[in-house]
Amino acid sequence: MRIRPAVAAVSLATALSASVVPAATAHAADRAASGPTVFSDVVVNGGKDIVLGLTTKKTVTLTWTATDPDGVAASWAYLWHGPNTDDADGILPHYPPAGTCTVSATDPAVSTCKVSFTVDAARDLDHNGLAGTWKVLAEAQDTTDDWTDADVAGTARIKRYAKVTVNASPEPVKKGRTVTVTGKLTRADWAGGTYKGYQGQSVKLQFRKKGSTAYTTLKTVTTGSGGTLRTTTKAKTDGYFRYVFTGSATTGPATAAGDFVDVR
């Protein structure tokens, strides 16, 4: 599923932009992918996870450096997911444009490149298996028309958006009595178009005393069937309870708004 823009060698003094076609019909598609261009400093989304809900539309910027002793004429990069490029089950963006590249003022062999594209969860993510690590495929054409590609020039994480709720009761409560704190952890189900419970996850129960700005972790609770949360603690003073989920390899973090309990 490798794809390559059909572009001719041009000067990087001009911003580059081109449509792409399948590798089987792309210009120079039969060239050996063993050229001398080196890709480095690959950064996706500023180094942050890409966390998407059911209908999230997010602009993602991908930057990289391409270094070639003959100079770089054009370069592009995109995200792909799957066991290998031939069996990729996801490509972002679907039609990767050439990057906008700038030649270093001090070293003509070095070019810094950038491309921005929009990820639309409703359009681009049709199954939950796409959550997790994506690879960055980078390619370049030098000024002598040699081509280089790197299937894994870098990585990025695309995660499912999560939500967590909290409810502490009874309210008010006498000092020393038991407070029951319930809640639920859910995450975006891209395939089903809804939010579903996230079972078996560690979630922190935290408390902030009235008048304070800092939360303290009281204990860690594991989500049950349907992502449910339930635990108890002793009422000591007025304050706010909340649940905090720090995220997983496939799911983003979530923090509930604090629920106030009046202790009398």
Side-chain angles (χ1 to χ4, degrees):
M1 194 177 284
R2 182 185 306 282
I3 50 182
R4 171 176 292 165
V7 295
V10 294
S11 170
L12 282 171
T14 303
L16 301 173
S17 179
S19 61
V20 299
V21 296
T25 59
H27 172 66
D30 58 344
R31 293 179 181 277
S34 57
T37 305
V38 174
F39 303 100
S40 60
D41 301 323
V42 178
V43 179
V44 181
N45 196 41
K48 299 178 181 178
D49 293 339
I50 303 167
V51 183
L52 305 171
L54 300 177
T55 59
T56 307
K57 294 182 180 180
K58 182 176 180 59
T59 298
V60 175
T61 298
L62 170 56
T63 59
W64 68 99
T65 298
T67 304
D68 190 293
D70 292 317
V72 175
S75 185
W76 55 99
Y78 58 88
L79 303 179
W80 65 276
H81 182 273
N84 53 65
T85 55
D86 291 331
D87 299 311
D89 59 359
I91 288 179
L92 292 173
H94 291 311
Y95 302 99
T100 299
C101 299
T102 303
V103 179
S104 168
T106 58
D107 187 349
V110 179
S111 293
T112 56
C113 304
K114 178 174 73 172
V115 65
S116 295
F117 55 91
T118 299
V119 181
D120 183 342
R123 178 195 64 196
D124 301 327
L125 304 172
D126 59 1
H127 65 92
N128 297 323
L130 292 172
T133 300
W134 287 58
K135 290 94 169 178
V136 177
L137 186 148
E139 298 188 275
Q141 176 189 22
D142 72 13
T143 57
T144 68
D145 203 29
D146 283 335
W147 296 80
T148 303
D149 61 39
D151 287 355
V152 186
T155 60
R157 283 192 180 272
I158 296 181
K159 296 185 175 183
R160 299 159 66 178
Y161 185 82
K163 299 186 290 187
V164 64
T165 61
V166 65
N167 181 61
S169 62
E171 303 173 55
V173 63
K174 291 185 178 180
K175 185 174 182 179
R177 293 290 182 87
T178 297
V179 175
T180 299
V181 188
T182 59
K184 188 174 184 179
L185 175 66
T186 59
R187 59 176 176 167
D189 176 7
W190 295 331
T194 187
Y195 280 83
K196 290 187 176 180
Y198 196 9
Q199 184 176 351
Q201 300 303 303
S202 294
V203 178
K204 296 177 181 178
L205 173 64
Q206 296 185 336
F207 179 77
R208 175 170 66 88
K209 183 179 179 180
K210 181 180 178 181
S212 172
T213 59
Y215 275 92
T216 300
T217 298
L218 302 179
K219 62 175 71 175
T220 298
V221 185
T222 301
T223 56
S225 176
T228 56
L229 287 159
R230 183 182 180 88
T231 190
T232 59
T233 187
K234 295 296 183 181
K236 296 181 179 179
T237 186
D238 293 353
Y240 301 83
F241 290 93
R242 73 178 185 182
Y243 279 120
V244 177
F245 174 59
T246 58
S248 67
T250 60
T251 307
T255 300
D259 186 28
F260 181 76
V261 173
D262 178 13
V263 177
R264 297 180 178 177

